Amino acid sequence: MAITTPLSQSNLCSTNNTIIKTPRMIHQIQSNSISLNLRNPSFQNKLWGNRNCCLVQRRGEGGLRTSVITATAAAEKQKKRYPGEGKGFVEEMRFVAMKLHTKDQAKEGEKESQAQPLGRWEPSIDGYIQFLVDSKCVYDTLESIVDKAAVPSYAEFRNTGLERAGALAKDLEWFKERGHAIPEPSNSGLSYSQYLEDLSVKDPQAFLCHFYNVYFAHTAGGRMIGKKVAEMILEKKELEFYKWDGDLKQLLQNVRDKLNVVAESWSREEKNHCLEETEKSFKYSGELLRLILT
């Protein structure tokens, strides 16, 4: 048996086989033990009162052996690690978002699917146009917010190459030229846009959660949905909404890097608050997608 404790000359006590000091417990050992000869006064003087050291004495076949072990303060708390934290905050955001996918959408998904599988969708032209109109309403809002940059960090996300409002304007013009009526935004797009406006002023962490999820989701699942709808009702026409100038992977990486830099100034509580907003982002985006089936 051996007990590790801070060194102090004043209150050592002994048991049958172990000499210990008992004022407080040490919870974490940081280094290997170092054998020492307690008969060396010079070495002893360097140790007495060192609260970062522990004295361990054991009596065995070879006699009494003494070691010194360095230790952290008892009150030091182990830091909790969050999934993805080591790779930057965007990886934490991605991890939370993937968990909110259904099991058939992503291998990390944990939600049970409640909607029709994509292969069973029956989209309509009118419903799809309404989806595009409402999407443009949301992207117009996002791009206006970062352009005005009421919160200085928003300015980092101007002209990222991911902007979609201009592409959507071209697509809606294409439908109009073919005789389709272009409706006004529905409540789905208007309510989401108003929510984003409010968040952008009072809650920048929550706003950037939506910013991340809207843009990044469109480059992944959004493209898959667009391709499927085009095959079903547009004779495989690829809309501008699903095209980007330049290398999309690099555009995404640039935004990841900027988000990681902005999040470095956030407290852990602010980061957690941002992550907690993910589910609400999915809720609003899901309402937009359901317009395709109307």
Side-chain angles (χ1 to χ4, degrees):
M1 173 182 176
I3 299 178
T4 61
T5 56
L7 283 176
S8 172
Q9 197 172 16
S10 61
N11 51 5
L12 289 174
C13 62
S14 64
T15 63
N16 289 336
N17 293 321
T18 307
I19 296 177
I20 62 174
K21 174 186 175 300
T22 58
R24 61 174 180 156
M25 296 182 65
I26 294 297
H27 296 296
Q28 184 179 9
I29 303 304
Q30 284 189 322
S31 72
N32 295 329
S33 62
I34 306 171
S35 296
L36 63 107
N37 185 349
L38 286 181
R39 296 178 182 177
N40 185 329
S42 176
F43 196 52
Q44 288 182 21
N45 289 337
K46 294 178 182 179
L47 296 175
W48 301 132
N50 186 347
R51 294 180 178 272
N52 291 322
C53 292
C54 300
L55 176 66
V56 179
Q57 288 193 322
R58 295 185 181 184
R59 194 179 301 278
E61 294 180 359
L64 186 65
R65 298 188 62 184
T66 305
S67 301
V68 171
I69 302 174
T70 60
T72 61
E76 184 175 343
K77 189 178 180 180
Q78 286 284 352
K79 182 182 178 183
K80 180 180 177 180
R81 299 290 289 180
Y82 291 80
E85 185 177 4
K87 296 182 179 180
F89 185 62
V90 171
E91 183 63 16
E92 293 186 53
M93 298 172 78
R94 189 198 71 82
F95 182 85
V96 172
M98 295 308 293
K99 288 179 68 176
L100 291 175
H101 284 72
T102 59
K103 296 176 180 178
D104 59 336
Q105 290 174 328
K107 61 182 180 180
E108 301 102 320
E110 295 184 358
K111 294 288 186 179
E112 295 294 336
S113 180
Q114 297 179 343
Q116 288 182 336
L118 186 57
R120 298 181 186 176
W121 276 26
E122 295 182 3
S124 67
I125 288 287
D126 289 343
Y128 191 47
I129 291 175
Q130 187 68 67
F131 162 73
L132 296 176
V133 168
D134 282 46
S135 294
K136 184 177 183 299
C137 179
V138 171
Y139 282 105
D140 277 334
T141 301
L142 287 167
E143 291 161 28
S144 174
I145 289 170
V146 299
D147 187 55
K148 294 176 183 176
V151 175
S153 62
Y154 295 167
E156 295 294 326
F157 305 102
R158 294 171 180 159
N159 303 316
T160 63
L162 299 182
E163 292 80 12
R164 297 290 84 199
L168 282 162
K170 292 178 182 179
D171 289 332
L172 292 171
E173 184 62 28
W174 182 84
F175 279 104
K176 184 177 180 179
E177 290 172 353
R178 281 150 183 79
H180 297 285
I182 307 301
E184 293 298 315
S186 73
N187 184 63
S188 296
L190 293 173
S191 61
Y192 193 12
S193 294
Q194 186 59 57
Y195 183 70
L196 291 171
E197 288 278 10
D198 295 341
L199 278 186
S200 69
V201 175
K202 66 182 182 182
D203 197 341
Q205 286 78 28
F207 169 75
L208 286 176
C209 173
H210 287 264
F211 179 91
Y212 164 79
N213 280 292
V214 168
Y215 282 104
F216 278 64
H218 179 61
T219 68
R223 283 199 294 173
M224 181 178 67
I225 291 170
K227 182 179 179 181
K228 188 66 178 178
V229 172
E231 290 174 351
M232 298 176 74
I233 62 175
L234 295 180
E235 298 180 348
K236 299 185 178 181
K237 161 72 176 177
E238 184 180 16
L239 298 182
E240 297 299 315
F241 190 28
Y242 306 101
K243 299 177 185 178
W244 288 263
D245 293 329
D247 182 352
L248 179 57
K249 288 184 179 180
Q250 188 58 54
L251 296 176
L252 291 169
Q253 187 57 51
N254 293 343
V255 175
R256 284 189 193 96
D257 293 342
K258 291 179 179 182
L259 284 167
N260 281 333
V261 170
V262 169
E264 284 176 359
S265 65
W266 296 351
S267 67
R268 186 65 252 179
E269 290 73 18
E270 288 172 327
K271 290 179 179 180
N272 289 346
H273 176 62
C274 175
L275 298 176
E276 290 164 0
E277 188 72 14
T278 306
E279 193 159 5
K280 193 165 288 187
S281 171
F282 273 53
K283 171 183 173 291
Y284 277 108
S285 294
E287 290 179 1
L288 294 183
L289 285 171
R290 281 191 284 274
L291 294 172
I292 299 175
L293 304 180
T294 59

